[in-house]
Amino acid sequence: MAETLLFNALREALDEEMARDSSVFVLGEDVGQYGGSYKVTKDLYEKYGELRVLDTPIAENSFTGMAVGAAMTGLRPIIEGMNMGFLLLAFNQISNNAGMLRYTSGGNFKMPMVIRGPGGVGRQLGAEHSQRLEAYFQAVPGLKIVACSTPYNAKGLLKSAIRDDNPVLFFEHVLLYNLKENLPETEYLVPLDKAEIVRSGKDVTILTYSRMRHHVLQALPALVKEGYDPEVIDLISLKPLDMETIGESIRKTHKVIIVEECMKTGGIGAELIASISDRFFDELDAPVLRLSSQDIPTPYNGNLERLTIVQPNQIVEAVQKMVALRV
């Protein structure tokens, strides 16, 4: 086992897959000689050359469209968005092209491409650099969406995403790149469609993902000290949702709290509530409680920014409220 930072875990995944398969290549702004905004592609330019670690102009729609064409012809492009919010400029290429071409071609084309990069609310990055795009793309047919949250699942998920024959949106959180974890020295993969049970419990199911996994973990000591026994599930796969794992937990706890950094209106939590109501309504002893970000552009001011997203003390209060409910 070797202690590895999350950004280095991602780099290891890229390096291993590029060495394994010559059709894999990386493109994006400053991914080459600079090594990427968060150093995920550091030194890969020197190792694999400019045709496999391709610096692009600041033109997200153009190089995303080029990656779609490359995927159609048998290559496996990995797009790094300098910031995931910038990829809104390539919404057409991601949705109308990458998401649909395998279907509209009658299966004649595969679409093995990964679109990855930093997102989420950082520390005073301003509204345009604090985007959470998972909900923007959730309604697009043909896409798979995952959100890594630890160095272990970051590496295993990225390797699986690169090998998949469908377009995968791979969300990384800007504040998690320096997380440390011991990783196996042997190769491993993490499935793209499975949630992770972070902690088993019987009182309430807490569904979360990305950075909010760690806010939930920060709330746990206070909850356990008070005698609560929550079950914590990291969704990881945002599309498709792992309703099998979620359902098994609900049948045990009969109460659900969703903790997300996504906005409340039209967010991942909204889809989760709808899916839970469709499939497990009779198992619920109380309405699903949703903790989400405020529906406003993220303020630059640090104190105001903090108030827009869910904090550990709010999670503690939500569990206290939920468990106190009796049918």
Side-chain angles (χ1 to χ4, degrees):
M1 306 287 281
E3 188 175 62
T4 307
L5 294 164
L6 191 145
F7 77 88
N8 273 328
L10 293 166
R11 184 194 172 282
E12 288 178 10
L14 291 175
D15 191 10
E16 291 174 15
E17 291 304 302
M18 292 179 76
R20 188 187 72 89
D21 185 349
S22 61
S23 68
V24 176
F25 74 101
V26 179
L27 71 161
E29 297 143 347
D30 288 339
V31 297
Q33 293 180 330
Y34 186 69
S37 297
Y38 294 89
K39 301 308 176 186
V40 175
T41 57
K42 184 180 179 181
D43 299 329
L44 296 182
Y45 177 85
E46 289 76 10
K47 186 172 182 179
Y48 295 104
E50 63 182 8
L51 292 181
R52 295 190 67 196
V53 185
L54 180 62
D55 278 320
T56 65
I58 302 174
E60 285 78 9
N61 58 343
S62 297
F63 66 72
T64 302
M66 184 175 72
V68 170
M72 291 172 66
T73 59
L75 298 177
R76 291 184 175 272
I78 304 163
I79 295 171
E80 176 177 307
M82 183 181 288
N83 182 282
M84 290 299 266
F86 302 160
L87 290 175
L88 288 174
L89 295 166
F91 194 97
N92 178 62
Q93 285 73 24
I94 296 171
S95 58
N96 283 332
N97 300 152
M100 298 185 185
L101 273 170
R102 189 167 188 184
Y103 296 84
T104 56
S105 71
N108 287 310
F109 296 116
K110 296 179 180 178
M111 194 53 58
M113 62 184 293
V114 178
I115 303 164
R116 52 153 295 272
V121 178
R123 290 192 176 95
Q124 294 184 262
L125 297 179
E128 291 184 3
H129 291 69
S130 300
Q131 296 278 26
R132 288 133 288 174
L133 299 189
E134 53 266 32
Y136 288 59
F137 288 103
Q138 194 189 39
V140 177
L143 301 179
K144 296 183 178 183
I145 305 176
V146 297
C148 65
S149 53
T150 68
Y152 179 86
N153 66 38
K155 181 177 181 180
L157 286 167
L158 185 52
K159 287 173 70 70
S160 295
I162 293 169
R163 298 185 189 189
D164 199 280
D165 285 334
N166 299 286
V168 180
L169 265 63
F170 193 96
F171 286 99
E172 304 152 16
H173 199 287
V174 67
L175 293 183
L176 299 185
Y177 281 124
N178 288 324
L179 282 181
K180 294 181 179 179
E181 189 175 12
N182 291 326
L183 300 187
E185 295 183 2
T186 56
E187 184 179 62
Y188 67 92
L189 301 173
V190 175
L192 296 175
D193 58 352
K194 296 296 182 184
E196 176 189 348
I197 300 175
V198 180
R199 183 188 189 276
S200 294
K202 59 178 173 40
D203 287 341
V204 59
T205 297
I206 301 178
L207 303 176
T208 189
Y209 65 94
S210 189
R211 180 192 177 194
M212 285 297 118
R213 167 179 173 147
H214 301 281
H215 278 210
V216 172
L217 292 178
Q218 290 175 43
L220 279 180
L223 291 169
V224 173
K225 185 177 180 180
E226 293 181 20
Y228 296 103
D229 186 21
E231 179 149 298
V232 179
I233 295 177
D234 186 342
L235 297 171
I236 295 178
S237 175
L238 305 182
K239 187 174 185 177
L241 294 165
D242 181 4
M243 297 308 296
E244 181 178 351
T245 298
I246 293 169
E248 289 177 2
S249 181
I250 292 173
R251 293 185 187 98
K252 178 170 56 172
T253 67
H254 306 288
K255 293 182 173 69
V256 181
I257 297 173
I258 299 168
V259 182
E260 63 178 347
E261 197 177 275
C262 199
M263 283 71 67
K264 177 171 285 189
T265 301
I268 299 297
E271 177 60 31
L272 265 174
I273 290 175
S275 296
I276 289 169
S277 296
D278 283 347
R279 304 185 191 200
F280 310 114
F281 181 81
D282 291 340
E283 296 288 344
L284 295 174
D285 286 347
V288 177
L289 184 59
R290 176 175 32 153
L291 302 179
S292 311
S293 291
Q294 300 295 317
D295 286 331
I296 60 172
T298 303
Y300 175 76
N301 178 280
N303 291 326
L304 293 177
E305 177 187 74
R306 186 177 182 278
L307 290 172
T308 66
I309 60 175
V310 181
Q311 300 298 328
N313 65 297
Q314 295 173 274
I315 300 167
V316 172
E317 293 168 1
V319 172
Q320 293 168 337
K321 176 182 177 182
M322 178 65 77
V323 176
L325 293 173
R326 294 288 183 265
V327 177

